[in-house]
Amino acid sequence: MFRFVQRATMRAFMCSALAGLVLHQLSGCSTPPAQQASVAPASPTPVVPQQASTDALQQPLSSLMLNSAAPADSYARRSDARELAWSLAAEYQLDPQWVWTALSEARQKESVAKLMMPPPAATGKNWALYRSRFVEPIRIKAGVSFWRQHATTLQRAEQLYGVPAHIIAGVLGVETIYGRQMGNFRVLDALTTLSLDFPKGRSDRSAFFRAELGQFLTLCHEQNVAPASVLGSYAGAIGLPQFMPSSIRKWGVDFDGDGKVDLRNSPVDAIGSVAHYLAEHGWRAEWPSYFDITPPEDTWALNKLLAPDIRPSFSAEDMQALGATLAEAALNHPGKLALVKLENGGATATLIAGTANFYAITRYNQSSYYALAVIKLGEAVKRDALR
């Protein structure tokens, strides 16, 4: 959940719509979670990784042989890749030779580095354009089909975790159109490239990707999957919900009960994992995600309300005292609210009062545009599916 993952979704919008993602630490996605969900989430079944033997971990680095005959873009030729393999093996208690064999299959991908670069500085944000890209007939139709096929599972996830079915459906629709677009990059290539050849010209996140590479290799070892066989996004996000490897290991759940967490091939596991993730990041059952609001006319008051950005920081009474107008349902809301501003290019901005649940969606991807697109797509899917 790239948590950097969802960078792929935002970049697609920025390139095609020329609009503005504040990255889920989805820059790796971790910011302090909001309040805990009122429905206690179930923990994923723990899997204990097989550890490397003491003898294997004490082998000298020189025992991992470079391959100078490998293709020019192969990490098998590079001493820094060999050192990375040794370091990851020690940190994650994996066999060094197994890790080096895996990294020897990785290829440096210039396309991955290019896609990681930020958009042009002149690119503006536009909620109307962003919405039109994700709340559109193809995704809605696919979502209706997905909903009807997995209605029982969506209902079970909602009952267990307190996250509404339409929010789960919205996430999966925005991320991958319900599994239709899960990425065609080898995750091994993407994560190794971003670990050792992170592009210049933007804030260096190579340490984050090294950790994700270690988590990915551990996940493959646990599940007996060949690392080179796994496809995902250019940032290394995997499966229907585009979870980063660390998110799979921490928040992925075996919701279909087959003994493994499989977000690439099991929509049921994907549904349960998205619900579990949101519950763990502060979703409150029975709460709305946002309220409509008329902001104050006074510039000072408006700026004061906008200062915390998407983090809920004001009571409804606080907002009202500063000149905002809220509906009765919002005035009775027990939690804090955030005045969330979404630009519309040169047109009037869209403003909403986000709750802790809106904030929870931004823990999946740190973008208010993403969160509102998830909500609106989910609402459209639910409306059509229940007709």
Side-chain angles (χ1 to χ4, degrees):
M1 267 144 247
F2 161 173
R3 304 199 351 145
F4 215 115
V5 300
Q6 293 44 24
R7 173 75 175 174
T9 302
M10 175 53 115
R11 182 172 184 94
F13 159 68
M14 290 186 292
C15 292
S16 66
L18 293 180
L21 170 47
V22 181
L23 290 172
H24 166 321
Q25 189 166 329
L26 249 183
S27 324
C29 175
S30 70
T31 52
Q35 292 174 294
Q36 188 65 25
S38 58
V39 177
S43 298
T45 303
V47 182
V48 180
Q50 298 178 11
Q51 296 185 342
S53 68
T54 302
D55 290 343
L57 291 173
Q58 291 177 347
Q59 291 175 8
L61 178 62
S62 59
S63 67
L64 307 183
M65 302 299 293
L66 298 176
N67 182 3
S68 59
D73 62 350
S74 173
Y75 284 102
R77 300 166 61 98
R78 291 176 45 170
S79 60
D80 58 345
R82 180 180 63 176
E83 291 165 5
L84 176 60
W86 187 261
S87 174
L88 292 177
E91 182 175 356
Y92 293 92
Q93 294 292 293
L94 298 169
D95 182 88
Q97 189 60 58
W98 182 86
V99 175
W100 176 233
T101 298
L103 291 195
S104 294
E105 294 187 65
R107 299 289 184 268
Q108 181 184 1
K109 295 296 180 183
E110 292 184 9
S111 58
V112 165
K114 289 179 180 178
L115 286 167
M116 193 56 60
M117 294 301 292
T123 298
K125 297 179 179 181
N126 190 320
W127 160 242
L129 277 173
Y130 191 97
R131 186 185 192 282
S132 69
R133 179 172 179 81
F134 295 105
V135 188
E136 47 81 30
I138 291 176
R139 287 178 201 264
I140 294 171
K141 183 178 179 180
V144 169
S145 176
F146 184 87
W147 182 294
R148 291 174 176 168
Q149 183 178 358
H150 299 287
T152 301
T153 301
L154 288 164
Q155 182 180 21
R156 179 161 63 96
E158 181 171 345
Q159 291 173 343
L160 180 60
Y161 296 110
V163 180
H166 76 273
I167 296 296
I168 302 169
V171 168
L172 296 173
V174 170
E175 290 297 336
T176 61
I177 317 183
Y178 308 96
R180 294 185 184 183
Q181 296 179 355
M182 295 191 290
N184 293 314
F185 290 88
R186 293 201 310 177
V187 171
L188 179 66
D189 294 339
L191 293 178
T192 307
T193 296
L194 294 173
S195 295
L196 294 174
D197 294 293
F198 195 86
K200 305 289 192 248
R202 65 160 300 161
S203 179
D204 182 15
R205 293 198 56 79
S206 57
F208 167 78
F209 287 105
R210 285 191 187 98
E212 290 298 333
L213 179 58
Q215 294 280 356
F216 173 68
L217 292 171
T218 303
L219 180 67
C220 291
H221 201 277
E222 291 170 348
Q223 298 190 347
N224 195 28
V225 172
S229 71
V230 182
L231 300 181
S233 78
Y234 67 82
I238 298 168
L240 279 81
Q242 292 290 276
F243 273 23
M244 293 299 284
S246 62
S247 293
I248 296 175
R249 297 191 68 229
K250 190 170 185 179
W251 290 293
V253 293
D254 174 19
F255 213 51
D256 61 12
D258 68 351
K260 63 176 184 284
V261 177
D262 185 358
L263 302 187
R264 294 183 294 156
N265 302 299
S266 173
V268 175
D269 284 0
I271 288 169
S273 297
V274 169
H276 181 226
Y277 182 94
L278 291 174
E280 285 289 300
H281 285 78
W283 189 275
R284 296 293 299 268
E286 307 301 329
W287 281 18
S289 53
Y290 73 92
F291 298 101
D292 293 330
I293 186 171
T294 301
E297 295 182 1
D298 180 77
T299 301
W300 178 87
L302 178 62
N303 289 336
K304 181 177 178 64
L305 288 174
L306 289 172
D309 195 24
I310 55 180
R311 184 184 295 276
S313 305
F314 302 97
S315 67
E317 291 76 13
D318 292 336
M319 287 187 160
Q320 195 172 41
L322 287 167
T325 302
L326 292 157
E328 184 177 353
L331 293 175
N332 293 328
H333 182 67
K336 298 287 189 180
L337 300 170
L339 182 60
V340 179
K341 183 178 182 180
L342 299 95
E343 301 288 351
N344 281 307
T348 303
T350 297
L351 289 143
I352 60 173
T355 70
N357 286 350
F358 188 91
Y359 186 73
I361 301 173
T362 66
R363 300 311 85 201
Y364 202 102
N365 184 318
Q366 291 182 27
S367 164
S368 56
Y369 298 81
Y370 173 89
L372 196 53
V374 163
I375 295 164
K376 293 301 183 183
L377 175 60
E379 289 174 345
V381 168
K382 178 181 178 180
R383 180 192 63 235
D384 287 3
L386 298 181
R387 278 180 178 172

